[in-house]
Amino acid sequence: GNQQTITQKTKYFTPDINNDGSKIVAVNYKADGKCELHVLDATSGSLLKNIESSEINVFTDPKFIDDSSIVACARFRDGQMSLVRADISGSLTRLTPPSYHVIGFPNVQNDKVYFTASFDGNDEVFMLQLSDKKIFQVSNSSTGNYFVNASGNNLVYSNFTADGYQLKEIGI
């Protein structure tokens, strides 16, 4: 495929592209340290929407749920984290209760968000149902599990071992 630069002199991190390839969402860090989600036109790079919150210090790992909403990890001013849903309209909704546990690496498949969290002291893969916000633990190991990817009826994730990361696959 072709590669093209769509922005210049910007600080964008962890971008995601929507299903039809028309929009990109990325974390933007401004010179003053302020963190925002930017929704960009994938062709021109123009800013379509700036999503920010005075309660949130840092957004990480944004992923499109659909064309009008995004899931991201958020660290609040008090240090707690939560998965949040950001609508293109600008509204933010907490999907998980704020906690001092680390949350990251979300992956969206249909009505489910798979992510890594340290709720029980170890980094495990969890699944959040968007319809009712119920959370289920998916993995269980003595070391951390990261970078989950859901496709069809399978989950693939990286399991940390003494020999480095090992891919694991489980049915869902």
Side-chain angles (χ1 to χ4, degrees), residues 68-93:
S68 62
S69 58
I70 298 155
V71 66
C73 305
R75 182 169 301 277
F76 299 99
R77 291 190 173 277
D78 65 0
Q80 295 188 77
M81 289 193 79
S82 178
L83 278 178
V84 297
R85 182 180 192 143
D87 290 323
I88 301 292
S89 66
S91 67
L92 284 167
T93 306

mmCIF file with all atom_site columns, all heavy atoms in Angstrom, residues 68-93:
data_model
loop_
_atom_site.group_PDB
_atom_site.id
_atom_site.type_symbol
_atom_site.label_atom_id
_atom_site.label_alt_id
_atom_site.label_comp_id
_atom_site.label_asym_id
_atom_site.label_entity_id
_atom_site.label_seq_id
_atom_site.pdbx_PDB_ins_code
_atom_site.Cartn_x
_atom_site.Cartn_y
_atom_site.Cartn_z
_atom_site.occupancy
_atom_site.B_iso_or_equiv
_atom_site.pdbx_formal_charge
_atom_site.auth_seq_id
_atom_site.auth_comp_id
_atom_site.auth_asym_id
_atom_site.auth_atom_id
_atom_site.pdbx_PDB_model_num
ATOM 1   N N   . SER A 1 68 ? -18.783 6.579  15.387 1.00 0.00 ? 68 SER A N   1
ATOM 2   C CA  . SER A 1 68 ? -19.121 7.711  16.252 1.00 0.00 ? 68 SER A CA  1
ATOM 3   C C   . SER A 1 68 ? -18.629 7.576  17.687 1.00 0.00 ? 68 SER A C   1
ATOM 4   O O   . SER A 1 68 ? -18.856 8.466  18.503 1.00 0.00 ? 68 SER A O   1
ATOM 5   C CB  . SER A 1 68 ? -20.634 7.934  16.251 1.00 0.00 ? 68 SER A CB  1
ATOM 6   O OG  . SER A 1 68 ? -21.294 6.797  16.777 1.00 0.00 ? 68 SER A OG  1
ATOM 7   N N   . SER A 1 69 ? -17.962 6.469  18.020 1.00 0.00 ? 69 SER A N   1
ATOM 8   C CA  . SER A 1 69 ? -17.483 6.320  19.398 1.00 0.00 ? 69 SER A CA  1
ATOM 9   C C   . SER A 1 69 ? -16.156 5.571  19.469 1.00 0.00 ? 69 SER A C   1
ATOM 10  O O   . SER A 1 69 ? -15.819 4.770  18.598 1.00 0.00 ? 69 SER A O   1
ATOM 11  C CB  . SER A 1 69 ? -18.537 5.642  20.276 1.00 0.00 ? 69 SER A CB  1
ATOM 12  O OG  . SER A 1 69 ? -18.887 4.398  19.769 1.00 0.00 ? 69 SER A OG  1
ATOM 13  N N   . ILE A 1 70 ? -15.439 5.878  20.548 1.00 0.00 ? 70 ILE A N   1
ATOM 14  C CA  . ILE A 1 70 ? -14.064 5.407  20.758 1.00 0.00 ? 70 ILE A CA  1
ATOM 15  C C   . ILE A 1 70 ? -13.965 4.884  22.179 1.00 0.00 ? 70 ILE A C   1
ATOM 16  O O   . ILE A 1 70 ? -14.578 5.442  23.096 1.00 0.00 ? 70 ILE A O   1
ATOM 17  C CB  . ILE A 1 70 ? -13.087 6.587  20.570 1.00 0.00 ? 70 ILE A CB  1
ATOM 18  C CG1 . ILE A 1 70 ? -13.174 7.117  19.136 1.00 0.00 ? 70 ILE A CG1 1
ATOM 19  C CG2 . ILE A 1 70 ? -11.664 6.216  20.957 1.00 0.00 ? 70 ILE A CG2 1
ATOM 20  C CD1 . ILE A 1 70 ? -12.746 8.563  19.006 1.00 0.00 ? 70 ILE A CD1 1
ATOM 21  N N   . VAL A 1 71 ? -13.189 3.827  22.382 1.00 0.00 ? 71 VAL A N   1
ATOM 22  C CA  . VAL A 1 71 ? -12.837 3.399  23.729 1.00 0.00 ? 71 VAL A CA  1
ATOM 23  C C   . VAL A 1 71 ? -11.366 3.743  23.934 1.00 0.00 ? 71 VAL A C   1
ATOM 24  O O   . VAL A 1 71 ? -10.553 3.652  23.007 1.00 0.00 ? 71 VAL A O   1
ATOM 25  C CB  . VAL A 1 71 ? -13.109 1.895  23.967 1.00 0.00 ? 71 VAL A CB  1
ATOM 26  C CG1 . VAL A 1 71 ? -12.206 1.032  23.128 1.00 0.00 ? 71 VAL A CG1 1
ATOM 27  C CG2 . VAL A 1 71 ? -12.980 1.535  25.432 1.00 0.00 ? 71 VAL A CG2 1
ATOM 28  N N   . ALA A 1 72 ? -11.030 4.200  25.155 1.00 0.00 ? 72 ALA A N   1
ATOM 29  C CA  . ALA A 1 72 ? -9.640  4.533  25.482 1.00 0.00 ? 72 ALA A CA  1
ATOM 30  C C   . ALA A 1 72 ? -9.416  4.271  26.964 1.00 0.00 ? 72 ALA A C   1
ATOM 31  O O   . ALA A 1 72 ? -10.363 4.214  27.749 1.00 0.00 ? 72 ALA A O   1
ATOM 32  C CB  . ALA A 1 72 ? -9.344  5.995  25.155 1.00 0.00 ? 72 ALA A CB  1
ATOM 33  N N   . CYS A 1 73 ? -8.170  4.109  27.328 1.00 0.00 ? 73 CYS A N   1
ATOM 34  C CA  . CYS A 1 73 ? -7.795  4.034  28.730 1.00 0.00 ? 73 CYS A CA  1
ATOM 35  C C   . CYS A 1 73 ? -7.542  5.466  29.192 1.00 0.00 ? 73 CYS A C   1
ATOM 36  O O   . CYS A 1 73 ? -7.002  6.278  28.440 1.00 0.00 ? 73 CYS A O   1
ATOM 37  C CB  . CYS A 1 73 ? -6.541  3.188  28.912 1.00 0.00 ? 73 CYS A CB  1
ATOM 38  S SG  . CYS A 1 73 ? -6.709  1.538  28.210 1.00 0.00 ? 73 CYS A SG  1
ATOM 39  N N   . ALA A 1 74 ? -7.942  5.775  30.410 1.00 0.00 ? 74 ALA A N   1
ATOM 40  C CA  . ALA A 1 74 ? -7.775  7.131  30.919 1.00 0.00 ? 74 ALA A CA  1
ATOM 41  C C   . ALA A 1 74 ? -7.205  7.092  32.326 1.00 0.00 ? 74 ALA A C   1
ATOM 42  O O   . ALA A 1 74 ? -7.628  6.284  33.151 1.00 0.00 ? 74 ALA A O   1
ATOM 43  C CB  . ALA A 1 74 ? -9.114  7.866  30.918 1.00 0.00 ? 74 ALA A CB  1
ATOM 44  N N   . ARG A 1 75 ? -6.230  7.967  32.565 1.00 0.00 ? 75 ARG A N   1
ATOM 45  C CA  . ARG A 1 75 ? -5.697  8.154  33.921 1.00 0.00 ? 75 ARG A CA  1
ATOM 46  C C   . ARG A 1 75 ? -6.211  9.503  34.414 1.00 0.00 ? 75 ARG A C   1
ATOM 47  O O   . ARG A 1 75 ? -5.980  10.535 33.797 1.00 0.00 ? 75 ARG A O   1
ATOM 48  C CB  . ARG A 1 75 ? -4.183  8.116  33.954 1.00 0.00 ? 75 ARG A CB  1
ATOM 49  C CG  . ARG A 1 75 ? -3.673  8.255  35.403 1.00 0.00 ? 75 ARG A CG  1
ATOM 50  C CD  . ARG A 1 75 ? -2.206  7.976  35.578 1.00 0.00 ? 75 ARG A CD  1
ATOM 51  N NE  . ARG A 1 75 ? -1.780  6.665  35.168 1.00 0.00 ? 75 ARG A NE  1
ATOM 52  C CZ  . ARG A 1 75 ? -1.863  5.544  35.905 1.00 0.00 ? 75 ARG A CZ  1
ATOM 53  N NH1 . ARG A 1 75 ? -2.413  5.581  37.085 1.00 0.00 ? 75 ARG A NH1 1
ATOM 54  N NH2 . ARG A 1 75 ? -1.402  4.402  35.440 1.00 0.00 ? 75 ARG A NH2 1
ATOM 55  N N   . PHE A 1 76 ? -6.916  9.453  35.544 1.00 0.00 ? 76 PHE A N   1
ATOM 56  C CA  . PHE A 1 76 ? -7.515  10.650 36.111 1.00 0.00 ? 76 PHE A CA  1
ATOM 57  C C   . PHE A 1 76 ? -6.504  11.437 36.947 1.00 0.00 ? 76 PHE A C   1
ATOM 58  O O   . PHE A 1 76 ? -5.413  10.942 37.242 1.00 0.00 ? 76 PHE A O   1
ATOM 59  C CB  . PHE A 1 76 ? -8.740  10.274 36.955 1.00 0.00 ? 76 PHE A CB  1
ATOM 60  C CG  . PHE A 1 76 ? -9.811  9.595  36.145 1.00 0.00 ? 76 PHE A CG  1
ATOM 61  C CD1 . PHE A 1 76 ? -9.934  8.218  36.156 1.00 0.00 ? 76 PHE A CD1 1
ATOM 62  C CD2 . PHE A 1 76 ? -10.664 10.326 35.343 1.00 0.00 ? 76 PHE A CD2 1
ATOM 63  C CE1 . PHE A 1 76 ? -10.907 7.580  35.397 1.00 0.00 ? 76 PHE A CE1 1
ATOM 64  C CE2 . PHE A 1 76 ? -11.636 9.708  34.577 1.00 0.00 ? 76 PHE A CE2 1
ATOM 65  C CZ  . PHE A 1 76 ? -11.758 8.330  34.606 1.00 0.00 ? 76 PHE A CZ  1
ATOM 66  N N   . ARG A 1 77 ? -6.880  12.629 37.327 1.00 0.00 ? 77 ARG A N   1
ATOM 67  C CA  . ARG A 1 77 ? -5.987  13.511 38.096 1.00 0.00 ? 77 ARG A CA  1
ATOM 68  C C   . ARG A 1 77 ? -5.503  12.875 39.397 1.00 0.00 ? 77 ARG A C   1
ATOM 69  O O   . ARG A 1 77 ? -4.392  13.131 39.841 1.00 0.00 ? 77 ARG A O   1
ATOM 70  C CB  . ARG A 1 77 ? -6.675  14.839 38.397 1.00 0.00 ? 77 ARG A CB  1
ATOM 71  C CG  . ARG A 1 77 ? -6.875  15.694 37.176 1.00 0.00 ? 77 ARG A CG  1
ATOM 72  C CD  . ARG A 1 77 ? -7.326  17.101 37.561 1.00 0.00 ? 77 ARG A CD  1
ATOM 73  N NE  . ARG A 1 77 ? -7.347  17.954 36.408 1.00 0.00 ? 77 ARG A NE  1
ATOM 74  C CZ  . ARG A 1 77 ? -6.285  18.574 35.918 1.00 0.00 ? 77 ARG A CZ  1
ATOM 75  N NH1 . ARG A 1 77 ? -5.128  18.432 36.488 1.00 0.00 ? 77 ARG A NH1 1
ATOM 76  N NH2 . ARG A 1 77 ? -6.396  19.345 34.856 1.00 0.00 ? 77 ARG A NH2 1
ATOM 77  N N   . ASP A 1 78 ? -6.337  12.034 40.020 1.00 0.00 ? 78 ASP A N   1
ATOM 78  C CA  . ASP A 1 78 ? -5.950  11.406 41.291 1.00 0.00 ? 78 ASP A CA  1
ATOM 79  C C   . ASP A 1 78 ? -5.122  10.135 41.101 1.00 0.00 ? 78 ASP A C   1
ATOM 80  O O   . ASP A 1 78 ? -4.802  9.455  42.070 1.00 0.00 ? 78 ASP A O   1
ATOM 81  C CB  . ASP A 1 78 ? -7.185  11.122 42.144 1.00 0.00 ? 78 ASP A CB  1
ATOM 82  C CG  . ASP A 1 78 ? -8.125  10.100 41.521 1.00 0.00 ? 78 ASP A CG  1
ATOM 83  O OD1 . ASP A 1 78 ? -7.844  9.591  40.410 1.00 0.00 ? 78 ASP A OD1 1
ATOM 84  O OD2 . ASP A 1 78 ? -9.160  9.801  42.147 1.00 0.00 ? 78 ASP A OD2 1
ATOM 85  N N   . GLY A 1 79 ? -4.801  9.784  39.841 1.00 0.00 ? 79 GLY A N   1
ATOM 86  C CA  . GLY A 1 79 ? -3.971  8.611  39.563 1.00 0.00 ? 79 GLY A CA  1
ATOM 87  C C   . GLY A 1 79 ? -4.743  7.354  39.258 1.00 0.00 ? 79 GLY A C   1
ATOM 88  O O   . GLY A 1 79 ? -4.153  6.346  38.854 1.00 0.00 ? 79 GLY A O   1
ATOM 89  N N   . GLN A 1 80 ? -6.055  7.357  39.445 1.00 0.00 ? 80 GLN A N   1
ATOM 90  C CA  . GLN A 1 80 ? -6.852  6.178  39.135 1.00 0.00 ? 80 GLN A CA  1
ATOM 91  C C   . GLN A 1 80 ? -7.038  6.055  37.624 1.00 0.00 ? 80 GLN A C   1
ATOM 92  O O   . GLN A 1 80 ? -6.944  7.042  36.895 1.00 0.00 ? 80 GLN A O   1
ATOM 93  C CB  . GLN A 1 80 ? -8.217  6.260  39.814 1.00 0.00 ? 80 GLN A CB  1
ATOM 94  C CG  . GLN A 1 80 ? -8.115  6.217  41.337 1.00 0.00 ? 80 GLN A CG  1
ATOM 95  C CD  . GLN A 1 80 ? -9.477  6.100  41.965 1.00 0.00 ? 80 GLN A CD  1
ATOM 96  O OE1 . GLN A 1 80 ? -10.056 5.016  41.978 1.00 0.00 ? 80 GLN A OE1 1
ATOM 97  N NE2 . GLN A 1 80 ? -9.984  7.208  42.490 1.00 0.00 ? 80 GLN A NE2 1
ATOM 98  N N   . MET A 1 81 ? -7.324  4.827  37.180 1.00 0.00 ? 81 MET A N   1
ATOM 99  C CA  . MET A 1 81 ? -7.543  4.563  35.758 1.00 0.00 ? 81 MET A CA  1
ATOM 100 C C   . MET A 1 81 ? -8.916  3.952  35.530 1.00 0.00 ? 81 MET A C   1
ATOM 101 O O   . MET A 1 81 ? -9.491  3.328  36.427 1.00 0.00 ? 81 MET A O   1
ATOM 102 C CB  . MET A 1 81 ? -6.476  3.617  35.209 1.00 0.00 ? 81 MET A CB  1
ATOM 103 C CG  . MET A 1 81 ? -5.111  4.228  35.091 1.00 0.00 ? 81 MET A CG  1
ATOM 104 S SD  . MET A 1 81 ? -3.973  3.219  34.110 1.00 0.00 ? 81 MET A SD  1
ATOM 105 C CE  . MET A 1 81 ? -4.516  3.637  32.444 1.00 0.00 ? 81 MET A CE  1
ATOM 106 N N   . SER A 1 82 ? -9.391  4.103  34.294 1.00 0.00 ? 82 SER A N   1
ATOM 107 C CA  . SER A 1 82 ? -10.664 3.539  33.885 1.00 0.00 ? 82 SER A CA  1
ATOM 108 C C   . SER A 1 82 ? -10.667 3.406  32.367 1.00 0.00 ? 82 SER A C   1
ATOM 109 O O   . SER A 1 82 ? -9.965  4.140  31.679 1.00 0.00 ? 82 SER A O   1
ATOM 110 C CB  . SER A 1 82 ? -11.800 4.467  34.328 1.00 0.00 ? 82 SER A CB  1
ATOM 111 O OG  . SER A 1 82 ? -13.051 3.991  33.908 1.00 0.00 ? 82 SER A OG  1
ATOM 112 N N   . LEU A 1 83 ? -11.450 2.465  31.859 1.00 0.00 ? 83 LEU A N   1
ATOM 113 C CA  . LEU A 1 83 ? -11.775 2.483  30.432 1.00 0.00 ? 83 LEU A CA  1
ATOM 114 C C   . LEU A 1 83 ? -12.879 3.513  30.259 1.00 0.00 ? 83 LEU A C   1
ATOM 115 O O   . LEU A 1 83 ? -13.823 3.555  31.056 1.00 0.00 ? 83 LEU A O   1
ATOM 116 C CB  . LEU A 1 83 ? -12.287 1.124  29.963 1.00 0.00 ? 83 LEU A CB  1
ATOM 117 C CG  . LEU A 1 83 ? -11.277 0.043  29.622 1.00 0.00 ? 83 LEU A CG  1
ATOM 118 C CD1 . LEU A 1 83 ? -12.002 -1.235 29.225 1.00 0.00 ? 83 LEU A CD1 1
ATOM 119 C CD2 . LEU A 1 83 ? -10.333 0.470  28.535 1.00 0.00 ? 83 LEU A CD2 1
ATOM 120 N N   . VAL A 1 84 ? -12.760 4.345  29.230 1.00 0.00 ? 84 VAL A N   1
ATOM 121 C CA  . VAL A 1 84 ? -13.782 5.350  28.960 1.00 0.00 ? 84 VAL A CA  1
ATOM 122 C C   . VAL A 1 84 ? -14.268 5.218  27.528 1.00 0.00 ? 84 VAL A C   1
ATOM 123 O O   . VAL A 1 84 ? -13.531 4.761  26.647 1.00 0.00 ? 84 VAL A O   1
ATOM 124 C CB  . VAL A 1 84 ? -13.284 6.794  29.215 1.00 0.00 ? 84 VAL A CB  1
ATOM 125 C CG1 . VAL A 1 84 ? -12.935 7.002  30.683 1.00 0.00 ? 84 VAL A CG1 1
ATOM 126 C CG2 . VAL A 1 84 ? -12.109 7.142  28.320 1.00 0.00 ? 84 VAL A CG2 1
ATOM 127 N N   . ARG A 1 85 ? -15.505 5.622  27.324 1.00 0.00 ? 85 ARG A N   1
ATOM 128 C CA  . ARG A 1 85 ? -16.081 5.691  25.981 1.00 0.00 ? 85 ARG A CA  1
ATOM 129 C C   . ARG A 1 85 ? -16.213 7.163  25.630 1.00 0.00 ? 85 ARG A C   1
ATOM 130 O O   . ARG A 1 85 ? -16.811 7.938  26.379 1.00 0.00 ? 85 ARG A O   1
ATOM 131 C CB  . ARG A 1 85 ? -17.448 5.027  25.946 1.00 0.00 ? 85 ARG A CB  1
ATOM 132 C CG  . ARG A 1 85 ? -18.072 5.026  24.578 1.00 0.00 ? 85 ARG A CG  1
ATOM 133 C CD  . ARG A 1 85 ? -19.435 4.350  24.592 1.00 0.00 ? 85 ARG A CD  1
ATOM 134 N NE  . ARG A 1 85 ? -19.885 4.111  23.245 1.00 0.00 ? 85 ARG A NE  1
ATOM 135 C CZ  . ARG A 1 85 ? -20.551 3.048  22.859 1.00 0.00 ? 85 ARG A CZ  1
ATOM 136 N NH1 . ARG A 1 85 ? -20.859 2.102  23.726 1.00 0.00 ? 85 ARG A NH1 1
ATOM 137 N NH2 . ARG A 1 85 ? -20.932 2.912  21.604 1.00 0.00 ? 85 ARG A NH2 1
ATOM 138 N N   . ALA A 1 86 ? -15.606 7.548  24.516 1.00 0.00 ? 86 ALA A N   1
ATOM 139 C CA  . ALA A 1 86 ? -15.678 8.926  24.040 1.00 0.00 ? 86 ALA A CA  1
ATOM 140 C C   . ALA A 1 86 ? -16.511 8.952  22.775 1.00 0.00 ? 86 ALA A C   1
ATOM 141 O O   . ALA A 1 86 ? -16.198 8.252  21.811 1.00 0.00 ? 86 ALA A O   1
ATOM 142 C CB  . ALA A 1 86 ? -14.280 9.459  23.762 1.00 0.00 ? 86 ALA A CB  1
ATOM 143 N N   . ASP A 1 87 ? -17.584 9.715  22.791 1.00 0.00 ? 87 ASP A N   1
ATOM 144 C CA  . ASP A 1 87 ? -18.387 9.871  21.586 1.00 0.00 ? 87 ASP A CA  1
ATOM 145 C C   . ASP A 1 87 ? -17.833 11.037 20.788 1.00 0.00 ? 87 ASP A C   1
ATOM 146 O O   . ASP A 1 87 ? -17.323 12.007 21.348 1.00 0.00 ? 87 ASP A O   1
ATOM 147 C CB  . ASP A 1 87 ? -19.853 10.098 21.942 1.00 0.00 ? 87 ASP A CB  1
ATOM 148 C CG  . ASP A 1 87 ? -20.503 8.840  22.512 1.00 0.00 ? 87 ASP A CG  1
ATOM 149 O OD1 . ASP A 1 87 ? -20.178 7.743  22.027 1.00 0.00 ? 87 ASP A OD1 1
ATOM 150 O OD2 . ASP A 1 87 ? -21.311 8.963  23.440 1.00 0.00 ? 87 ASP A OD2 1
ATOM 151 N N   . ILE A 1 88 ? -17.962 10.956 19.468 1.00 0.00 ? 88 ILE A N   1
ATOM 152 C CA  . ILE A 1 88 ? -17.464 12.019 18.598 1.00 0.00 ? 88 ILE A CA  1
ATOM 153 C C   . ILE A 1 88 ? -18.127 13.349 18.957 1.00 0.00 ? 88 ILE A C   1
ATOM 154 O O   . ILE A 1 88 ? -17.557 14.407 18.758 1.00 0.00 ? 88 ILE A O   1
ATOM 155 C CB  . ILE A 1 88 ? -17.700 11.662 17.100 1.00 0.00 ? 88 ILE A CB  1
ATOM 156 C CG1 . ILE A 1 88 ? -17.001 10.359 16.739 1.00 0.00 ? 88 ILE A CG1 1
ATOM 157 C CG2 . ILE A 1 88 ? -17.258 12.783 16.183 1.00 0.00 ? 88 ILE A CG2 1
ATOM 158 C CD1 . ILE A 1 88 ? -15.500 10.401 16.736 1.00 0.00 ? 88 ILE A CD1 1
ATOM 159 N N   . SER A 1 89 ? -19.303 13.281 19.570 1.00 0.00 ? 89 SER A N   1
ATOM 160 C CA  . SER A 1 89 ? -19.983 14.509 20.016 1.00 0.00 ? 89 SER A CA  1
ATOM 161 C C   . SER A 1 89 ? -19.207 15.202 21.133 1.00 0.00 ? 89 SER A C   1
ATOM 162 O O   . SER A 1 89 ? -19.431 16.366 21.422 1.00 0.00 ? 89 SER A O   1
ATOM 163 C CB  . SER A 1 89 ? -21.394 14.183 20.501 1.00 0.00 ? 89 SER A CB  1
ATOM 164 O OG  . SER A 1 89 ? -21.334 13.378 21.675 1.00 0.00 ? 89 SER A OG  1
ATOM 165 N N   . GLY A 1 90 ? -18.298 14.453 21.773 1.00 0.00 ? 90 GLY A N   1
ATOM 166 C CA  . GLY A 1 90 ? -17.482 15.032 22.839 1.00 0.00 ? 90 GLY A CA  1
ATOM 167 C C   . GLY A 1 90 ? -17.793 14.505 24.224 1.00 0.00 ? 90 GLY A C   1
ATOM 168 O O   . GLY A 1 90 ? -17.059 14.776 25.171 1.00 0.00 ? 90 GLY A O   1
ATOM 169 N N   . SER A 1 91 ? -18.865 13.736 24.381 1.00 0.00 ? 91 SER A N   1
ATOM 170 C CA  . SER A 1 91 ? -19.206 13.224 25.710 1.00 0.00 ? 91 SER A CA  1
ATOM 171 C C   . SER A 1 91 ? -18.305 12.052 26.083 1.00 0.00 ? 91 SER A C   1
ATOM 172 O O   . SER A 1 91 ? -17.886 11.268 25.231 1.00 0.00 ? 91 SER A O   1
ATOM 173 C CB  . SER A 1 91 ? -20.669 12.800 25.757 1.00 0.00 ? 91 SER A CB  1
ATOM 174 O OG  . SER A 1 91 ? -20.892 11.685 24.925 1.00 0.00 ? 91 SER A OG  1
ATOM 175 N N   . LEU A 1 92 ? -18.008 11.941 27.385 1.00 0.00 ? 92 LEU A N   1
ATOM 176 C CA  . LEU A 1 92 ? -17.181 10.854 27.918 1.00 0.00 ? 92 LEU A CA  1
ATOM 177 C C   . LEU A 1 92 ? -17.980 10.074 28.956 1.00 0.00 ? 92 LEU A C   1
ATOM 178 O O   . LEU A 1 92 ? -18.645 10.674 29.801 1.00 0.00 ? 92 LEU A O   1
ATOM 179 C CB  . LEU A 1 92 ? -15.925 11.405 28.583 1.00 0.00 ? 92 LEU A CB  1
ATOM 180 C CG  . LEU A 1 92 ? -14.817 11.887 27.664 1.00 0.00 ? 92 LEU A CG  1
ATOM 181 C CD1 . LEU A 1 92 ? -13.796 12.683 28.446 1.00 0.00 ? 92 LEU A CD1 1
ATOM 182 C CD2 . LEU A 1 92 ? -14.155 10.713 26.980 1.00 0.00 ? 92 LEU A CD2 1
ATOM 183 N N   . THR A 1 93 ? -17.884 8.743  28.892 1.00 0.00 ? 93 THR A N   1
ATOM 184 C CA  . THR A 1 93 ? -18.556 7.872  29.844 1.00 0.00 ? 93 THR A CA  1
ATOM 185 C C   . THR A 1 93 ? -17.539 6.883  30.390 1.00 0.00 ? 93 THR A C   1
ATOM 186 O O   . THR A 1 93 ? -16.788 6.280  29.627 1.00 0.00 ? 93 THR A O   1
ATOM 187 C CB  . THR A 1 93 ? -19.689 7.080  29.151 1.00 0.00 ? 93 THR A CB  1
ATOM 188 O OG1 . THR A 1 93 ? -20.554 7.988  28.488 1.00 0.00 ? 93 THR A OG1 1
ATOM 189 C CG2 . THR A 1 93 ? -20.470 6.253  30.143 1.00 0.00 ? 93 THR A CG2 1
#
